[in-house]
Amino acid sequence: MKKLLFLFVLILQNTVSAQTYYDVDNNKIDKPTFDKFLLDKQQYYYVENDSLKAFKLMYRYNRGEKGSLSDSANLFKTLNEKLNLNLDPDKPLIIYYYPGKDPCNSSGTATRKSKIQWNKELQKKVKKVANVNVLRIYKNKEGIETISDYDWKKDPNALIENLFFNYHYDCGSFAIINKDKYAAFFGEYGHNQVVESLKEILSKK
């Protein structure tokens, strides 16, 4: 609910301003204040939403968010219907999100083979924690080297983007949903971020 409300506010403000700027807590700030924060490159960077002409400050090392969903059952139902899936709403759902090709996910020395191995190792670590649903969603599939190895799905009507990933976070992101709770991590992540987020959300009552 909070997510969708924030997106509505962004759209509304975009009608009266060419560009809008937000701090790490989604409070609107002016550009000079925004630029002042960015002088501290060790603490901050920014992400953007091209269509809304919105820019948001991000902490470099604290990129997680936790919250509640107003109707997770309907989300599961919609994903199952739109994507012809059979996700079990009684199990946690991990969504790996690919925002489209960017300098982060299109550079480096990783090969298709090493990416597959990386994913296999992640799956093993996740399985030790819980039996989960896994969904791979893309906004734009350009650059996904494992497109033929995993069941990547096009984001239906930008549902996942609007719910969790309003901005383009470099490399990719993930969100974990467990009943009415969610945990999201924005931008490049490792095995540890996924596993620890899963453990934490499972501990919530």
Side-chain angles (χ1 to χ4, degrees):
M1 192 69 172
K2 171 181 72 66
K3 286 281 187 178
L4 297 178
L5 178 61
F6 175 58
L7 183 64
F8 174 76
V9 171
L10 282 180
I11 295 172
L12 181 63
Q13 291 176 335
N14 190 55
T15 62
V16 296
S17 175
Q19 294 181 335
T20 48
Y21 300 87
Y22 298 88
D23 65 14
V24 293
D25 296 315
N26 295 326
N27 299 309
K28 188 177 179 182
I29 58 178
D30 58 29
K31 190 174 188 302
T33 303
F34 185 87
D35 291 339
K36 186 176 180 180
F37 275 107
L38 288 177
L39 292 176
D40 186 352
K41 297 184 183 300
Q42 292 187 339
Q43 291 291 328
Y44 301 100
Y45 70 106
Y46 74 90
V47 291
E48 60 184 287
N49 183 309
D50 291 335
S51 60
L52 297 178
K53 297 181 181 178
F55 302 83
K56 181 180 181 301
L57 289 168
M58 294 287 294
Y59 289 121
R60 286 197 177 276
Y61 302 106
N62 183 14
R63 292 179 278 122
E65 179 180 281
K66 304 172 185 66
S68 298
L69 295 172
S70 60
D71 193 355
S72 61
N74 188 55
L75 175 61
F76 273 78
K77 180 181 178 182
T78 301
L79 289 171
N80 282 333
E81 290 176 351
K82 295 288 186 180
L83 301 177
N84 193 27
L85 299 172
N86 190 29
L87 301 173
D88 184 349
D90 292 324
K91 296 179 183 178
L93 168 63
I94 302 180
I95 301 174
Y96 298 110
Y97 182 79
Y98 181 83
K101 189 175 182 180
D102 60 42
C104 180
N105 58 39
S106 62
S107 61
T109 59
T111 62
R112 172 174 161 271
K113 183 177 180 180
S114 67
K115 289 179 180 179
I116 291 173
Q117 184 59 37
W118 188 92
N119 277 284
K120 286 182 178 178
E121 292 173 1
L122 175 57
Q123 290 169 5
K124 288 180 181 178
K125 292 179 180 179
V126 166
K127 192 173 182 179
K128 289 180 180 179
V129 178
N131 186 16
V132 304
N133 300 285
V134 173
L135 180 58
R136 291 179 171 82
I137 291 286
Y138 65 83
K139 178 178 180 178
N140 184 324
K141 67 181 179 180
E142 181 186 5
I144 303 179
E145 293 187 13
T146 59
I147 195 73
S148 61
D149 303 290
Y150 296 103
D151 188 19
W152 284 94
K153 300 288 189 180
K154 172 72 173 177
D155 191 4
N157 300 320
L159 173 63
I160 300 304
E161 177 186 6
N162 290 337
L163 193 57
F164 297 110
F165 309 116
N166 302 134
Y167 295 88
H168 185 121
Y169 302 102
D170 287 346
C171 269
S173 302
F174 71 85
I176 304 177
I177 301 168
N178 186 42
K179 302 188 184 336
D180 63 342
K181 305 294 184 184
Y182 76 86
F185 190 88
F186 307 115
E188 186 177 12
Y189 59 87
H191 294 175
N192 185 62
Q193 278 85 15
V194 179
V195 172
E196 292 305 314
S197 293
L198 177 59
K199 288 179 179 178
E200 184 173 356
I201 199 171
L202 289 173
S203 69
K204 302 293 183 183
K205 300 299 183 181

